[in-house]
Amino acid sequence: MLIGFVRHGQTDWNALGRIQGQTDTPLNGNGIKQADALAERLRGETKMWDLVVSSDLQRAYTTAKIIADRLEIPLAAGDGRLRERCFGEAEGLTKEERVTRWGDDWDTAAIGIETDAQMMERGLSALKELSIQYGNRNVLIVSHGSFLALLLQELCSGLGDERLGNLSYSILEYKDGNWTPLLHNCTRHLGPDLE
């Protein structure tokens, strides 16, 4: 079984450096172009994906719909377990604003931020269900940066804590009880004007 992981396209909050978390922000024009670029790349490659599954937040779901439509493959209903980490009171704030309010260690303040363990519990639950439901199919998952970075580290211990860019593309293969990365954080489909 292959699972692909895609981070959603750019939003205005991404461009402004505002942390989104589970705030439901839409793609901006550049984010739509980024999704089109990956969809075009995938359409030109050997057919690999059988269906697309996505977070239910609109920036991910819109990205997933663009890809599924271009590849002419099914798009499952959005899954809340694939959402970005909840950043509590920090959502909508820039790094400077977060540091001003809570200091350099803002991410450890008691402001309602979802823990790694909480996020992985729901993420691994979604993956387990997908493997049961679609075990003989290759699934492309569209989700969010912090969520995917942690999930990829959880599945593949050799992967470092690397920031995933908008519309980054990763592929894992499940074989003999282990996940192996075949591609990680690839953005070659994005030209310099789309990064």
Side-chain angles (χ1 to χ4, degrees), residues 2-22:
L2 297 179
I3 294 190
F5 297 95
V6 173
R7 182 181 175 203
H8 63 78
Q10 186 184 63
T11 68
D12 286 343
W13 278 19
N14 286 141
L16 295 170
R18 295 191 181 282
I19 199 164
Q20 294 171 107
Q22 294 189 4

Side-chain angles (χ1 to χ4, degrees), residues 31-87:
I32 292 169
K33 290 176 186 173
Q34 289 173 330
D36 283 334
L38 178 58
E40 192 60 29
R41 170 186 173 174
L42 296 178
R43 198 172 75 133
E45 294 178 352
T46 302
K47 183 181 183 300
M48 182 181 302
W49 304 112
D50 297 310
L51 76 146
V52 183
V53 176
S54 173
S55 156
D56 61 344
L57 296 176
Q58 64 179 314
R59 61 191 182 268
Y61 198 80
T62 301
T63 301
K65 182 163 178 28
I66 290 168
I67 294 168
D69 287 352
R70 185 74 57 84
L71 298 181
E72 298 178 349
I73 59 176
L75 171 61
D79 188 334
R81 294 172 299 177
L82 300 174
R83 283 183 171 201
E84 179 60 287
R85 179 191 307 269
C86 175
F87 282 99

